Structures are given as C-alpha cells and as structure tokens.
Amino acid sequence: MTSGGTIPDDVRNPLLGVSAAVRAEIVDEVGLAMTGSLNLRRCVLQLLTGVKPELADWAVVVWVNPRTGALTLWGGDDPAATAKTSRRSIAGQALERVLVTGHTELLHVALEDPGADALATMIPNAVLREQAAGLRPVDVLGLGLTARGVTLGALVMVRGQGRGFSEDDVAVGEQLAARASLALDSARLYEQTSRVAAALKESLVPPALPAVPGVDIAARYRPAIEHLDIGGDFYDVFSADDEWLAVLGDVCGKGVDAAVLTGRARQSIRTAAHFEREPGALLAAFNTVFSQDTSNRFITLVCLRMRPAADGSSAEVDIAVAGHAGPVLVRADGRAEQLPIEGTVAGVVPRVDYPTTTVRLEQGDALLVFTDGVEEARGESGFYGTDRLIRLLREYAGAGADAICGAVEQDVVEHLDGRAHDDIAVLAISCGGALGWQS
C-alpha cells in the first residue's frame, strides 16, 4: 500500500475492490494503531481514517452510552465530527439489529432511490445521511463492534460508484471490527477506570483549609509515593457549630490502601463531632468505632479544639492525642517545647479514655502538630528527630503558620536529600499571625 492511499493496479480487482493481501495488511495496520492508544476518541479516529479509502469511501462509528443508551456518531466526511441521537430513533431499523445482535447487515441503495428511507435504517442522522446519499448508488455495511460478549456499537461503512462489498470484503470487515472492538473496549475501560480513580483521589486528598476567625492556620503534606498525591497521613479543619476542630492523623501503612482508610477516618471524626466536641471524648468515640474495623490497622491522632478570643488577641486550644507525638508549642519570644501529652493509639483497644490538655496562645504563639514522617525522616546523619525540629521552630518564633510549615517541610526535605521517606504532614496554628517577623 502506498503512502498516498492509492493501491497499485496489480493488487486491485475492479470487481472486488482490494486484493486479499492488501485487505489483511489494512486490518493489521489499523488493529496495531488502535491497540497503541488507550484514548477512546483517538482509537475511533484511527479506525475511521484506517478504513478509507481502501475498505470504504465513507464511514461512521456508532457508540452506545452504557448508562443512558444514547448513541454517539463519529465520522462521516470529517472523521473528527460527532453527533448524538437517542436509541429510540433506531427502533426497528437495521442499525438496531446490529446493536442488539452484533450481526452484520448489508444494504444496497440504488441510484434512483432518494436515500431518505433506506439510508435511515443504518444512519440515524440527517446530515450524515445526506453525505452518504451523495455517493449513490451505494452499499452500506453495518458491523457490530462486540468485545467480551457485549456489543459496544457499530462500524457503518459505505461504498459508492458500484464498488459494492463482496463476500470477501464483508469477511475482512468483520475481522477488522473484531480487532477494533477489543481496542475500543480497552480504551473505554481505561477511561472509565481513570475517571473513577480521579474521583476517588479527589475525595482522599487533604482538603483546603478554611479561614478560622482569630487564628492563622496552615499545613503541608508530602506523601511517600509522591505521584499519587495521597497516602496514610491526613489533616482536617472544620467547624462544629460555633467551635473549630482540627485533626491530624497517621494510618499504619502508605499508598492507596492507607489513603482509603484515612478518608474513612476523616469522615468518622466529622460525624462524631456532631455529638462530641471535647477532644478527649471525640477520640474515645472514634476509637470505639475504629476498633471494630476489619482492616487490622491502627491509627494515631491528635485532636485540637480552638477557642479564639473575639478580638483575636489570644486563643485557648484543647488537645488530646491517641498514640501520637504531642504538639510543639512555640512562644512568640522564642521558647519552644513539645507538650507532654499521651494517649493510647486508636483501633487497638475498644474502650479508651483520652485526657484533654488546654494551652493558651497569646499573640505570636503557635502550635505545630506533625506526623512521624517528620521526626523519622532518615538522612545521612540519621533521623531528623524532635530536637532538631524544636531548634528550627525557635528560629521561626512569631513567624506565622504558613512560614512555620514551609520551613519545616523544606528542612526535612533537605535532611532527606532525595532519600525515600514516609508520609509527611504538618499543621500549624498561630495566634494573631506573624508579628513583623522576617527571615
């Protein structure tokens, strides 16, 4: 076959159209081109452009929406053109028989036939019928696109000017339709799976932080498997009536499985917050539910209830932890310490009491909560450690929540120096924002 689509005389039969060798070559070329793509629209375009002009003068692909039954028609004079119609529009027509049975239909439209009725049985669109009618007399071949036992659509090919479709041509068309169907179904399944994965991923990534009156809040998240953007660490900040709650947690494990569990944990905590707002009681309620989970995983949590003063001059923060490292309190004057707060990891024992500790933040004070991906980040000199974190935070006293989170993330990443790491999450709460701080 030449690059211009013209078939040499020694392989063209004026009655049958194309030699067996060339027909087989076209089937292979189109099949290989389609299997090289998992984009449904691109696969359709490769099929439509591949059949012309050797196998057809004109062609459309009819695609069935599996949910609604609506039909999408690709092709015609312009392979990239699309049109839509309802399944009802083909009731009792030849095209419906193809879509229901997957069997081949072959029609002949004579020169004197205006084409409105005969072509309508296979081409359910007025514009497309007019295009095909311009080739009269024509033969119309409808081929079922069937893969894995399901007819996904149809390939409608038209030959004009007396070319017709021989028995060999119909057999080749059926071979091509079978090859194309598998490629189209693979692309359909891939796009469907990608949409589901994207929707799930969107529901699992850390949410945008709300604006909380009286305090400044910021966070950073770096998953262990960075191209996934999800993992076993999570944070959440939300309101419960006139109060604000913040949670940071770490599920045992990493990747997609851990991310699914973090999504469930986040929603469970939000649900429990409708009934319990005191952090210790909230964690106890969550633990009771989570301990019944069949995943055999545990989770560490820190829960904070923020009660800012109306004028933003101070804030009281109630804190409870479940197997998690206590927050680091950073005073505006440079003092920094890790609060000695402890509690049993969630998901191990059905009934646990969690004590609540209250700290008061003044202007420029901040609290930093973090997952073990920070302190256990391993660099050339060993673990990052809490002592190094506290030293860093002293330098950023009064800097504001976003600057603190950014500094911690950067310092941990530099310590790692490209090495693998666990999920990393930090959440900072600052009272009154930065106090004229400069780096």
Side-chain angles (χ1 to χ4, degrees):
M1 187 168 62
T2 63
S3 59
T6 301
I7 302 173
D9 293 337
D10 60 344
V11 296
R12 179 182 291 278
N13 183 308
L15 296 178
L16 300 182
V18 182
S19 75
V22 172
R23 289 196 297 264
E25 181 183 343
I26 294 170
V27 171
D28 287 340
E29 286 183 355
V30 176
L32 287 173
M34 294 181 67
T35 55
S37 174
L38 287 174
N39 180 283
L40 180 59
R41 182 176 177 81
R42 190 174 299 122
C43 280
V44 171
L45 288 173
Q46 287 168 335
L47 175 58
L48 290 171
T49 56
V51 300
K52 295 191 296 184
E54 288 86 352
L55 297 184
D57 298 317
W58 186 93
V60 295
V61 167
V62 181
W63 194 253
V64 181
N65 185 310
R67 287 192 304 107
T68 66
L71 306 179
T72 298
L73 291 82
W74 273 301
D77 288 347
D78 178 6
T82 60
K84 294 185 181 295
T85 189
S86 69
R87 186 68 178 259
R88 293 190 303 274
S89 67
I90 63 170
Q93 304 296 322
L95 180 58
E96 184 182 43
R97 292 195 296 271
V98 174
L99 295 178
V100 170
T101 67
H103 296 165
T104 300
E105 291 274 342
L106 179 59
L107 308 175
H108 177 72
V109 181
L111 178 62
E112 62 276 7
D113 191 324
D117 295 329
L119 287 175
T121 64
M122 198 70 79
I123 305 171
N125 177 274
V127 173
L128 293 174
R129 284 197 299 273
E130 184 179 351
Q131 294 175 9
L135 301 173
R136 292 194 315 270
V138 296
D139 276 38
V140 184
L141 181 64
L143 302 161
L145 295 172
T146 303
R148 301 174 178 93
V150 178
T151 299
L152 309 168
L155 170 63
V156 179
M157 297 193 297
V158 174
R159 280 185 174 182
Q161 302 173 353
R163 289 181 64 189
F165 288 98
S166 69
E167 289 185 5
D168 288 342
D169 292 330
V170 172
V172 169
E174 291 174 340
Q175 293 173 17
L176 176 62
R179 290 278 298 271
S181 298
L182 289 173
L184 290 168
D185 193 39
S186 296
R188 178 188 67 85
L189 292 173
Y190 177 80
E191 291 192 357
Q192 187 178 70
T193 302
S194 297
R195 285 195 298 270
V196 171
L200 288 173
K201 182 176 177 180
E202 184 177 355
S203 70
L204 296 175
V205 296
L209 293 175
V212 180
V215 294
D216 180 29
I217 300 179
R220 293 291 190 278
Y221 179 63
R222 185 177 288 266
I225 307 174
E226 296 194 12
H227 69 273
L228 289 179
D229 294 329
I230 56 177
D233 289 3
F234 73 95
Y235 58 80
D236 199 8
V237 179
F238 57 96
S239 63
D241 291 336
D242 58 344
E243 297 180 325
W244 287 89
L245 295 169
V247 180
L248 183 137
D250 183 357
V251 170
C252 174
K254 62 186 70 174
V256 175
D257 291 341
V260 170
L261 204 54
T262 65
R264 291 165 53 189
R266 191 170 69 226
Q267 292 305 316
S268 295
I269 292 170
R270 284 197 171 218
T271 301
H274 286 284
F275 308 97
E276 297 285 358
R277 296 185 184 85
E278 191 268 326
L282 179 58
L283 290 184
F286 171 78
N287 175 74
T288 299
V289 174
F290 194 76
S291 63
Q292 300 172 1
D293 189 90
T294 58
S295 65
N296 296 320
R297 295 196 183 195
F298 61 84
I299 182 172
T300 67
L301 293 161
V302 56
C303 180
L304 307 96
R305 178 173 61 177
M306 297 168 283
R307 295 177 289 164
D311 60 1
S313 61
S314 64
E316 289 191 345
V317 183
D318 303 323
I319 309 166
V321 302
H324 205 92
V328 174
L329 174 61
V330 187
R331 296 295 185 186
D333 60 8
R335 290 174 294 150
E337 62 172 333
Q338 185 173 24
L339 300 177
I341 306 175
E342 297 180 351
T344 304
V345 65
V348 177
V349 181
R351 300 187 66 85
V352 180
D353 292 328
Y354 294 94
T356 297
T357 300
T358 301
V359 298
R360 181 181 177 86
L361 302 181
E362 304 290 347
Q363 281 280 324
D365 293 346
L367 272 173
L368 180 79
V369 291
F370 53 93
T371 58
D372 59 10
V374 173
E375 54 189 329
E376 295 179 5
R378 185 183 288 275
E380 185 177 359
S381 58
F383 289 121
Y384 185 85
T386 306
D387 291 341
R388 176 169 175 161
L389 175 63
I390 291 175
R391 289 195 300 272
L392 174 70
L393 292 175
R394 286 172 180 157
E395 299 176 7
Y396 283 81
D402 190 65
I404 289 173
C405 288
V408 172
E409 180 184 34
Q410 180 178 343
D411 201 50
V412 171
V413 170
E414 290 177 355
H415 179 75
L416 287 166
D417 194 23
R419 295 175 178 82
H421 60 84
D422 197 359
D423 298 319
I424 296 170
V426 295
L427 176 72
I429 301 170
S430 175
C431 181
L435 295 180
W437 185 88
Q438 293 183 347
S439 59

